[in-house]
Amino acid sequence: MDFRIAIVLLIARVVDDTRRALRLCLLLLAAAPVSGIAIYVGVHVVPALIKP
């Protein structure tokens, strides 16, 4: 019985970690375009605003 409980807990922990990892990957995928836009704005728009 104890082994079964331990295995279930271990599986639950692995599933939880996997879910967390997937969520992190999704966040990174969502953040990549945003950071790309931020870099573009920082490189192209900000100097144009400063020059005049």
Side-chain angles (χ1 to χ4, degrees):
M1 283 297 286
D2 288 79
F3 279 116
R4 286 182 192 166
I5 293 166
I7 289 167
V8 167
L9 285 172
L10 186 70
I11 290 169
R13 184 173 289 176
V14 168
V15 167
D16 191 46
D17 285 348
T18 304
R19 228 179 262 158
R20 222 171 272 158
L22 285 171
R23 201 174 296 154
L24 266 175
C25 287
L26 285 172
L27 276 171
L28 285 171
L29 282 172
V34 174
S35 62
I37 292 164
I39 291 165
Y40 178 85
V41 167
V43 168
H44 296 282
V45 176
V46 173
L49 290 172
I50 293 169
K51 273 178 190 172

